[in-house]
Amino acid sequence: FLRRSSSDYLAFGVRGVVSAEYWNPRLGKHPELRVDVFDMGTPENAFGLYSQRRLAAGDIRPIGAEASLGAREIYVWQDRYQFFVTIYEYADDTREALIAFARHVSDTIGVGGAPPSLVDSTLVEGVVPRSHRWFRTVAQAQVASRRSELLLLPLGPSVRGVVASLALEDGLTCD
């Protein structure tokens, strides 16, 4: 299953994945939505992967510890889990099903979570809200940075870090 971005999931310590597709038999034999739940081993790893995957223009929802809702998908992190629900064909009722499934999965997991303390310590003036991409290994830093020059620094085994965007005066942002 981890064909897409498998190195990202492996870098954040994925321990297992469960996937299911759902459809309404009255509407045909094609699935309407898919749920993928990833056990990332620790809340830090789950937040780290979520911070890489959340949608930049996503509508943040209070599902799980945090959820990022797009037009056809919702990304959620909660405790040691990162999960997403995807709808295949957009319609108002399938979008509502997307949100309902995300809430159901969240309720089933039943525990919350908070970002690593390092993220809270970087909440300073000028940091773009929800732009934090957290890491604690060299492989995770490679996923988080998106900029090769940030990887020139030597990272030891106990390094933890966060990359965030800063708002500039001219309306642009930079990492």
Side-chain angles (χ1 to χ4, degrees):
F1 172 78
L2 289 175
R3 291 184 308 260
R4 297 179 314 177
S5 305
S6 62
S7 61
D8 296 357
Y9 287 91
L10 294 172
F12 282 95
V14 67
R15 295 209 176 153
V17 61
V18 175
S19 298
E21 291 183 319
Y22 297 88
W23 61 90
N24 183 337
R26 292 179 292 169
L27 299 177
K29 296 184 179 188
H30 299 289
E32 292 182 44
L33 61 88
R34 178 183 179 102
V35 179
D36 298 290
V37 181
F38 298 87
D39 180 347
M40 302 307 298
T42 69
E44 289 178 336
N45 286 346
F47 175 79
L49 184 62
Y50 169 78
S51 73
Q52 310 303 318
R53 298 283 179 249
R54 73 178 150 215
L55 305 166
D59 176 10
I60 301 301
R61 297 287 178 109
I63 300 171
E66 184 178 291
S68 176
L69 176 64
R72 294 180 180 235
E73 65 279 316
I74 187 167
Y75 292 89
V76 183
W77 83 276
Q78 183 169 350
D79 192 46
R80 69 180 208 229
Y81 301 97
Q82 188 265 328
F83 65 91
F84 57 92
V85 183
T86 306
I87 54 175
Y88 293 114
E89 292 187 36
Y90 180 83
D92 288 339
D93 59 341
T94 55
R95 184 172 169 87
E96 292 306 314
L98 170 83
I99 296 167
F101 266 77
R103 283 196 174 107
H104 175 72
V105 173
S106 175
D107 291 345
T108 301
I109 292 171
V111 289
S117 60
L118 182 60
V119 171
D120 289 335
S121 68
T122 60
L123 295 177
V124 296
E125 186 177 339
V127 172
V128 176
R130 294 184 176 83
S131 68
H132 297 84
R133 295 181 303 279
W134 186 84
F135 62 88
R136 67 177 195 158
T137 68
V138 172
Q140 291 172 355
Q142 291 171 338
V143 175
S145 70
R146 300 180 190 163
R147 297 178 58 120
S148 59
E149 62 269 19
L150 295 177
L151 299 178
L152 297 176
L153 302 171
L155 299 177
S158 63
V159 168
R160 291 195 163 121
V162 64
V163 176
S165 297
L166 294 174
L168 304 175
E169 290 181 14
D170 57 5
L172 299 174
T173 62
C174 70
D175 284 346

